[in-house]
Amino acid sequence: MLEFKSTSVVYGDGTKAVDNISLTIKEGEFCVLLGPSGAGKSTLMGMLNGLVTPTSGEVALDGVVMTKQTKRTLQQQISMIHQQLHLVPRLSVLHNVLSGKLFAVPTIKSLFKLFDNKDQRRACMLLQEVDLEEKHLYRRASALSGGQQQRVAIARAFMAEPKVVLADEPVASLDPTVSRQVLNSLKLASHAHNATVLCSLHQIEYAIEFADRIIAMRKGQVVFNGVPSELDDAALKAIYGDEYRAATAEERAASTQDKTLFVPSKLTSAVA
Amino acid sequence: MLENQHPSNPKNWHQWSLEQMVTPKMIGILLLIIVLLGLSARNTEMDKAAYKTGEAVLAVIGLSQSTVLDGGASFVKQAFPFTIESRRSTNRIVDFDRDNLPLFSHIEVVEEQRYDALNETYTAEIKEYLVTPFGYLWKVLVKMWETIEMGFWGTLLSVMISIPLAIFSAKNYSPNKFTYLGARFILSFHRAMPELIVALFFVLMYGFGPIAGIFALAMHTSGVLGKFFADEIENAPKGPQDALLSSGANKVQVLRYAVLPQVFPSYVGYVQYILERNIRTATVLGMVGAGGIGMELKGRWDMFAYSHVATILLVILTTVMLLEYISQKIRAKSM
């Protein structure tokens, strides 16, 4: 269980990135973070991977306060999936996945790529879970498509048996079909390994489709916290405010262009 | 509305200022360069070079005498035909067994005129030679192979020296500032020492032979390779490294899994170039007694045996061209 207890983060120039947030996220929940850029999503995730220290209040994982844990335990309990993938392009898919567990391998053994059979089997299992086949095992990561690479990154994140997985806009550079596959893989993995996933997204339709729970932020505060079915127009306006309307106007103007839009069409018509 | 978004230049096109392309300052600099070139030409005897070359050109059409042409001609006259067979006087061979000659060889009997300085007369003398066809060519080829091996070992040692030094002199992987500066210093010291000079010292220490040449090559090229390697490590993409670090891998593991796979292809390219270069350089190192074909070349040159020298040069030329052809093929394949 992940708890934020009246947590605030104030940066050096006085901006309140996170303003007195109290949240409880259950184990194994696939939780989507919504909110415009600069709403404090990254800061919220940063507190979990140790990049940001709360100025007041605290964050606790299973009752243990984060700041009191060693960096090493943090690294093992919390995994990251990055927007830019950050796989090693010339390393094989298998070893990219195995590299998520390097902290548990003695340095000398790892120099010669000697991994325990158990770890290798787990890597295979994770790869199958994200719908990759045996033939991809020894291919270079760079030989895979964007969606496949992102799924390898998911497998790598779950390699260390983490309690929390942070995904920072994992589908930002993927097309809609592939984005759905990737989010589906992430959700399934989250449930299968009972790991809490915090996934920041800009696409509201994906959030509604996949999330167990949606947490939305605006100007450092939580403005929505509930199941997807509760996310109505009022809530969306509360999240995106003027920017939400601006986006829809822009969308109407650019209706000839066929691309993934900031706000899905069915919601646009509802607001208009 | 549009003008507010893009503030335009108030000047009209016929008011735009244009720059003068030729200025007094540029002419001054040009004159200064000419004067400096002239001074330097005096120092380096470039005037004499021009004079002598002009003389040689005139000599070709028969208008003048030229020491340049004479020097060249004295080599060319004796260089042909190339010496390919080996020829040794039988009475200089210890335990010469007339009935059991070496493979492919035969005995040649020649009558030689010998000048007797006391009586100022010529006397005829019968001499016997043991002749092995292609014997000398074989000897040169063996020496050439030794040279190639020298280049190979020089490169191997240089890689072994440069990899640890490169890791220590990559800013983001050096354990501390002292190791960084130390490794950088060693690398630039190695780079700064030319092979021929280092080879002189190694000949002094290890005696004549390929050891000195190999060490000289290894020392100089480890400086070059180490610098390349270190720069590659520093410029490797940061994202994958950060991803591994954040999942708890230590620096050695990050180096192994996120850096090495990325820099490996360019490492192979550098090593291949260094190998090619080392073999070329190894042909010269023998001049100072550091083994390889250069030693044979220097010996024959000092004896004015230009037909032997010509054979050696031909073998070197063929080998180097072959080498470049092969390495070009490999490079084209690996790209």
Side-chain angles (χ1 to χ4, degrees), chain A residues 28-31 158 185-197 212:
Chain A
E29 253 186 335
F30 184 74
C31 190
F158 281 92
S185 298
L186 190 55
K187 183 179 183 174
L188 290 178
S190 153
H191 291 171
H193 300 281
N194 201 24
T196 309
V197 174
D212 295 329

Side-chain angles (χ1 to χ4, degrees), chain B residues 268-319:
Chain B
V268 172
Y270 288 138
V271 171
Q272 196 193 334
Y273 167 71
I274 290 293
L275 176 64
E276 193 189 314
R277 195 203 90 106
N278 271 353
I279 294 173
R280 262 185 280 132
T281 314
T283 57
V284 191
L285 281 181
M287 299 262 182
V288 293
I293 203 166
M295 257 166 117
E296 179 74 17
L297 180 65
K298 179 81 165 79
R300 294 293 174 177
W301 184 268
D302 287 349
M303 285 154 47
F304 305 106
Y306 292 147
S307 63
H308 291 81
V309 171
T311 313
I312 296 168
L313 289 184
L314 200 71
V315 168
I316 291 178
L317 189 74
T318 320
T319 313

Side-chain angles (χ1 to χ4, degrees), chain A residues 2-10 16-25 31 33-35 38-48 52 54-60 198 213-225:
Chain A
L2 195 59
E3 287 167 291
F4 291 84
K5 296 173 189 163
S6 49
T7 319
S8 295
V9 176
V10 183
K16 281 186 176 176
V18 168
D19 192 4
N20 197 21
I21 278 182
S22 292
L23 269 179
T24 311
I25 299 166
C31 190
L33 280 177
L34 282 181
K41 302 188 300 280
S42 302
T43 311
L44 194 74
M45 294 212 275
M47 278 190 281
L48 294 173
V52 182
T55 359
S56 67
E58 54 190 29
V59 187
L198 269 183
R213 169 127 73 125
I214 295 175
I215 294 170
M217 294 181 73
R218 180 175 168 78
K219 292 180 181 166
Q221 284 171 329
V222 174
V223 291
F224 179 83
N225 180 2

Side-chain angles (χ1 to χ4, degrees), chain A residues 72 75 78 80 82 86-91 95 99-100 102-103 105-107 110-115 156, chain B residues 237-250 252-254 256-259 261-265:
Chain A
R72 195 159 179 82
Q75 284 169 342
I78 292 163
M80 275 294 283
H82 306 259
H86 290 340
L87 297 177
V88 185
R90 291 184 56 89
L91 200 61
H95 288 104
S99 73
L102 276 175
F103 64 86
V105 184
T107 309
S110 67
L111 276 181
F112 300 100
K113 290 192 181 176
L114 295 171
F115 290 92
R156 177 172 72 178
Chain B
K238 292 280 176 296
Q241 300 177 41
D242 291 342
L244 288 202
L245 272 178
S246 73
S247 68
N250 64 35
V252 179
Q253 291 170 328
V254 175
R256 173 71 184 82
Y257 284 88
V259 179
Q262 284 313 108
V263 297
F264 188 70

Side-chain angles (χ1 to χ4, degrees), chain A residues 187 229 245 264 269:
Chain A
K187 183 179 183 174
S229 57
R245 242 173 260 128
S269 53

